[in-house]
Amino acid sequence: MGDYEQMEMDIRLDSERNLKDNLVKVIQFTYNNQERERKLTGDDLGTVRNKHEGYGIAAEAHSRIQNCEKDLKNGMGDYLAKLQVEGDEAIKECSRLYDAALNVAMNAIIMAADMTRILNDLYYGTGSKKTPLEEAFDAAEEESGDGFEEAGEADAEASEMQDEEVTTNEENGECGACESTEEGEA
């Protein structure tokens, strides 16, 4: 009963996985563009010094998203009302819904880029180059004193040992060739 392994299957469609990967790239692109524009214009917002400042930035971004969501919700109501009407009025409402959904997505990406800035400032800008989880892991590793060497050191020693074996094998091979020629001559 104890000889089984718990496996986790990712049952998302490839398109969903690709979408998330692409969104992460878009968020990073947006963050990089924001930082570049701040440097070009000289608009130095300064670093986020504490979690309260970070919350203020997040709240501002969230309120923009809520306004866009309100437009989206109103657009859905208008679209429903236009379903009863003859003509192309519903197409115009669908176009408004597209714009509203695009604004929600755009502001959500900007908020994610702002959260990237906050994370970078709070975790990496406070003098520590490690997140709290990384610090806790390192502290636990130092306390345990497990006696394991770093991979780089072990790899260097293994490489030296392998070089010695190759040299020894080459010498033995040359001697074996000498012995076989001597046997053939005798």
Side-chain angles (χ1 to χ4, degrees), residues 94-146:
C94 186
S95 174
R96 282 186 49 209
L97 277 175
Y98 171 81
D99 288 338
L102 182 63
N103 287 334
V104 168
M106 187 175 64
N107 281 295
I109 288 170
I110 291 170
M111 182 178 181
D114 289 340
M115 297 305 101
T116 301
R117 175 179 159 237
I118 293 168
L119 286 170
N120 287 341
D121 289 351
L122 290 180
Y123 288 126
Y124 298 112
T126 58
S128 172
K129 297 295 181 194
K130 296 180 180 176
T131 64
L133 186 59
E134 291 170 333
E135 289 174 357
F137 179 73
D138 288 345
E141 192 174 84
E142 288 174 8
E143 289 175 11
S144 69
D146 55 8

Side-chain angles (χ1 to χ4, degrees), residues 18 28 44 69 73 76 79-80 96 101 110 115 123:
N18 292 339
Q28 188 61 43
D44 185 24
E69 287 175 339
K73 182 179 180 183
M76 283 297 293
Y79 189 50
L80 179 62
R96 282 186 49 209
I110 291 170
M115 297 305 101
Y123 288 126

Side-chain angles (χ1 to χ4, degrees), residues 8-21 24:
E8 182 179 330
M9 292 181 55
D10 189 0
I11 57 173
R12 295 179 299 167
L13 297 173
D14 287 339
S15 60
E16 290 175 15
R17 281 191 295 269
N18 292 339
L19 178 62
K20 185 172 182 176
D21 293 342
V24 168

Side-chain angles (χ1 to χ4, degrees), residues 59-86:
E60 183 180 342
H62 184 253
S63 68
R64 286 192 308 264
I65 292 173
Q66 283 182 322
N67 287 336
C68 293
E69 287 175 339
K70 188 189 307 181
D71 290 343
L72 186 64
K73 182 179 180 183
N74 291 338
M76 283 297 293
D78 293 343
Y79 189 50
L80 179 62
K82 300 296 178 176
L83 291 177
Q84 310 290 328
V85 179
E86 295 287 326

Side-chain angles (χ1 to χ4, degrees), residues 41-59:
T41 61
D43 181 19
D44 185 24
L45 295 176
T47 59
V48 179
R49 294 174 296 191
N50 57 45
K51 59 187 174 185
H52 301 288
E53 286 184 11
Y55 181 80
I57 295 168

